[in-house]
Amino acid sequence: MKTSIIVLTCNGLPYTQKCLESIRAYTPPDAYELIVVDNGSYDGTVKWLQDQPDLKVVYNQENLGFPKGCNQGMELATGENLLLLNNDTVLTPRWLDQLLACLY
């Protein structure tokens, strides 16, 4: 069962890097897809995201807000589960298994 993880960004590149790094480190690769919606970042986030081969990314020219960004990410999602995650979140081992156990 795949989980679509949707992360919104608007600047804050160091937070985004740590967040995505923790997803990759503590989530089995076949258990998720990673979708990032960038809301008009100008701090190098866009360039960094373009260099990440494992992402689906929406690049907004301006900050369209959290609800619109979430909707854009969910439109791209193909997983059975949807997870909206703030870009300043750092995950830990077994986080997704434990979350899904609570959900189901």
Side-chain angles (χ1 to χ4, degrees):
M1 182 176 300
K2 189 191 311 185
T3 298
S4 297
I5 303 171
I6 301 155
V7 179
L8 268 65
T9 62
C10 185
N11 298 314
L13 177 58
Y15 294 112
T16 301
Q17 289 171 322
K18 288 179 184 174
C19 177
L20 299 189
E21 195 175 280
S22 71
I23 292 169
R24 292 170 176 145
Y26 299 120
T27 316
D30 60 340
Y32 72 98
E33 69 176 343
L34 197 43
I35 301 166
V36 177
V37 179
D38 183 77
N39 265 333
S41 292
Y42 52 82
D43 68 342
T45 296
V46 170
K47 171 70 174 112
W48 186 81
L49 291 172
Q50 290 170 339
D51 292 336
Q52 306 306 302
D54 61 335
L55 306 179
K56 292 181 182 180
V57 184
V58 175
Y59 299 102
N60 292 323
Q61 297 301 309
E62 61 186 357
N63 189 341
L64 300 179
F66 187 77
K68 173 70 174 176
C70 289
N71 286 336
Q72 289 177 309
M74 289 187 288
E75 286 175 5
L76 293 178
T78 63
E80 292 83 5
N81 301 301
L82 298 175
L83 174 70
L84 303 175
L85 190 67
N86 288 343
N87 72 324
D88 61 352
T89 304
V90 176
L91 303 167
T92 57
R94 298 184 46 241
W95 74 275
L96 184 58
D97 290 337
Q98 293 172 340
L99 189 65
L100 293 174
C102 290
L103 177 64
Y104 292 106

